[in-house]
Amino acid sequence: IRVTKGGFSTKKEALEYLPHLKPKSGINPQATFSEIFDLWLPTHERQGKSKSTINCYKAAYKYFQSVWWIPFAEISIDDLQECLDDCPKGRRTRENMKALGTLLYAYAIPRGYAPEKVDLAHYLYVGGEAGEKREEFTGDEIEIIRKNIGIVPYADYIYCQIYLGFRPHEFLTLDCSKYNRKERCFVGGGKTDAGTDRNVTVSPKIQPIIDRLTAGKTSGPVFCDLGGNLIPDKRYREDYFYRALDLMGLPLPAPDGSSRKLTPHCCRHSFATLMKAVEAPDKDKLELMGHTSTEMLRHYQHTSYDDLRKITDKI
């Protein structure tokens, strides 16, 4: 079949050409971020890019380490954004990280490695210089949320997210089957080895809410929609989280009067800040956070439910 700029002369010819558009055999749909980078890099080098440009992308790649082993098609915008947020370097490095993400999606999408055909890197927020303060809920804002539980729909979800510390996607996929009622502890998380199936005990501040949401349920998402179904990340962000904040008049202005932006990921930063006031071993705090820097530490150290609860009880 000959294909011209004008297309196909008949519908039959177009249908016969469809098999040629399917991904080539041998494509691994579970290819990881690291594998996509290794496949992409030689193609970029063959384009005659300067050595300094290539080195910039290699340097940017290092700061995506927490997602290296996640299948590329399963990486969420929150996974990528956290890599940028955690980067200790300045704005230029984070700009390179975003640019690298765009290049990887440009490589992966037409080859069938990113089935959703969405360049998530386009939505990444670069931010300012190194050391820039990350937004979190203030004590006053947390109190406003608490007072609106039962008044503003899903204020209780946001309150729980602040006191559990899970990443947005981890929070939404918490399942009743993974809640230990006896120990009042969730087993959840799945971003890295350090964060996968970690134990997070429940703070007394949210225990009544958790009891209500899990009552009579042995499976299914804890934080579900009215039909008991899993809430997609984007829907939670737009229809639940931001709508609830608007109804509560949040976020409050900064002390200097400037505007602030609170996202679902800010709940995790708030949880980490709340723990600063609690005296407890760092290894126990890192266990609750599921941070990647503890991957090796967890092979040699063990944490009990009581150790974790000492922290969440005092928050």
Side-chain angles (χ1 to χ4, degrees), residues 96-108 119-122 124:
N96 288 339
M97 291 174 69
K98 180 172 181 175
L100 174 61
T102 296
L103 290 168
L104 294 183
Y105 275 99
Y107 176 87
D119 173 11
L120 295 181
H122 172 76
L124 291 175

Side-chain angles (χ1 to χ4, degrees), residues 188-225:
K191 180 180 175 181
T192 64
D193 288 344
T196 297
D197 291 340
R198 66 185 183 273
N199 295 308
V200 176
T201 46
V202 175
S203 166
K205 287 183 170 62
I206 63 171
Q207 190 65 61
I209 302 173
I210 300 302
D211 290 343
R212 170 171 54 83
L213 294 176
T214 59
K217 297 175 65 176
T218 57
S219 64
V222 177
F223 302 97
C224 55
D225 63 16

